[in-house]
Amino acid sequence: TIKDHNEYGILSPLHLNGNGDKLDGGFANYAGPEYTDGLLSDLSLSKVSDVYESRFVNAAAWLVSKKCLETVGGFDPIFFHYGEDYNYCQRVHYHDLKVGIVPAVKIYHDREYKQQAYESEQIFRHYLITVADINNDHYLRDKKKLYRQDKIRMISSLLRRDLKRFRQNRNNIKLKRKFFPEVLESRKKNIKGGPVYIS
């Protein structure tokens, strides 16, 4: 299918839950109109197309074209776990390729019982996804806004005498500041593109 749709850098199947009796919870969000126009509506009316263009689909089962790997490269190592697929889709779009969902193909994504990330991890991941997005020309403004939110959370936790959360928020600010030069370097590499992360 990817040969027939060479404007797509990524094609993904439908993601079912581990039992195969409904859509995977996260995927159901990505299949919705905010990310993928028309897919859920067409599925419910049984009039599906071959491929639906999407802003994002998680990397549980991607078919990535050779052209995409040569143009975009691999996953960015600044993302340890989670967020790397969001960042990759941002880069795919930046380099004028598309992300698509192929509803005729299905996989089972058995992840319902996985532990959720801690709040501080989610906050840091959101920061990386926002600031490392090479489509975002206002990343410096967004970085400052996210720092302000961290400071508000830190002060709020101190006022509530929640020292554990205060320390988490303080450490998050320190980590973001320490990590920012790597984010800038990542942006430069990803704007340039190419197989910079493929060994």
Side-chain angles (χ1 to χ4, degrees):
T1 303
I2 210 155
K3 289 181 181 177
D4 301 328
H5 299 280
N6 61 8
E7 70 274 24
Y8 285 88
I10 297 171
L11 289 176
S12 173
L14 288 180
H15 299 192
L16 304 177
N17 67 5
N19 295 324
D21 57 358
K22 58 184 175 181
L23 288 176
D24 169 78
F27 181 81
N29 292 330
Y30 318 137
E34 183 183 344
Y35 289 91
T36 311
D37 188 38
L39 175 59
L40 291 182
S41 173
D42 287 358
L43 281 171
S44 66
L45 297 171
S46 299
K47 57 168 196 169
V48 293
S49 299
D50 288 347
V51 180
Y52 289 82
E53 187 175 349
S54 183
R55 281 189 358 193
F56 169 75
V57 62
N58 58 313
W62 281 355
L63 176 62
V64 182
S65 70
K66 179 181 177 184
K67 177 183 176 183
C68 184
L69 286 172
E70 289 173 347
T71 304
V72 178
F75 286 130
D76 191 325
I78 67 168
F79 290 88
F80 172 67
H81 190 125
Y82 295 124
E84 72 282 356
D85 48 2
Y86 213 101
N87 173 261
Y88 197 82
C89 287
Q90 292 167 338
R91 292 160 51 206
V92 167
H93 293 301
Y94 179 85
H95 289 286
D96 295 322
L97 292 167
K98 296 180 180 180
V99 175
I101 297 172
V102 181
V105 182
K106 299 170 183 67
I107 60 146
Y108 294 86
H109 192 186
D110 193 8
R111 65 169 176 171
E112 264 63 36
Y113 302 107
K114 299 278 193 299
Q115 185 177 1
Q116 292 297 313
Y118 293 111
E119 180 188 11
S120 60
E121 290 176 31
Q122 292 172 338
I123 290 168
F124 185 68
R125 185 166 49 249
H126 174 70
Y127 164 81
L128 281 182
I129 288 169
T130 303
V131 180
D133 180 2
I134 56 178
N135 300 290
N136 181 0
D137 294 331
H138 305 289
Y139 69 97
L140 290 174
R141 181 197 65 199
D142 292 342
K143 177 187 109 162
K144 288 178 184 175
K145 179 181 171 186
L146 293 170
Y147 277 177
R148 276 195 307 272
Q149 290 173 358
D150 282 339
K151 287 176 183 175
I152 290 168
R153 275 192 292 270
M154 189 173 71
I155 293 166
S156 174
S157 59
L158 190 60
L159 292 173
R160 289 190 322 270
R161 297 182 180 171
D162 185 346
L163 293 180
K164 180 180 178 185
R165 194 151 290 190
F166 169 79
R167 283 192 285 275
Q168 286 175 341
N169 289 316
R170 185 187 60 196
N171 290 340
N172 233 341
I173 292 170
K174 288 180 181 177
L175 183 62
K176 287 175 182 178
R177 286 188 174 136
K178 179 182 174 185
F179 217 72
F180 188 64
E182 289 183 49
V183 172
L184 288 176
E185 189 60 32
S186 162
R187 287 180 62 87
K188 287 180 194 171
K189 287 179 183 176
N190 291 329
I191 286 169
K192 181 181 176 187
V196 289
Y197 302 123
I198 300 171
S199 53

